[in-house]
Amino acid sequence: MEEAKTGSINVGGGISSDNAIFADIMFRERNFDLSRWREFPPRGAGQDFAINLRPGTRVNQYKLSFYEPWLLDYPVGFGFDLAFTERFFRLYTEQR
């Protein structure tokens, strides 16, 4: 039996009326192992980990996502997203 591919890297970009020019870079590993963070790649525990970077001329968006399907060896899922958005206006910069 051969293990399926679990990671992906997506790269793109575009132009929109809200974001102007932007790039979109995403890394995702669906078989991540946080306890093996010193190894590369840290895989094997079935956790879902993703980083999404979207820099642009008007808006920068960054997001880190993590999901653990077996919390403390019980089939209880736990996850979180950390996000940062920075929007540039002519007179000021908004950060959230």
Side-chain angles (χ1 to χ4, degrees):
M1 183 154 124
E2 189 173 318
E3 189 171 324
K5 303 288 184 191
T6 58
S8 64
I9 296 175
N10 299 320
V11 178
I15 300 173
S16 74
S17 60
D18 185 38
N19 295 344
I21 300 170
F22 65 93
D24 196 6
I25 304 158
M26 184 179 147
F27 165 78
R28 182 176 182 198
E29 176 58 57
R30 293 184 326 263
N31 191 21
F32 190 73
D33 189 348
L34 187 60
S35 67
R36 294 183 180 177
W37 64 272
R38 292 180 186 225
E39 299 175 21
F40 186 81
R43 289 192 238 158
Q47 300 161 342
D48 196 332
F49 176 77
I51 296 175
N52 193 347
L53 309 171
R54 183 178 271 186
T57 55
R58 288 190 194 155
V59 178
N60 291 330
Q61 295 174 316
Y62 308 101
K63 184 176 176 184
L64 182 134
S65 302
F66 179 80
Y67 179 74
E68 167 61 70
W70 285 81
L71 188 62
L72 303 173
D73 293 327
Y74 291 98
V76 176
F78 169 78
F80 65 87
D81 294 326
L82 298 175
F84 177 77
T85 299
E86 184 174 39
R87 184 177 300 268
F88 304 104
F89 295 98
R90 292 183 192 264
L91 300 177
Y92 65 95
T93 299
E94 174 187 66
Q95 296 180 339
R96 305 190 246 176

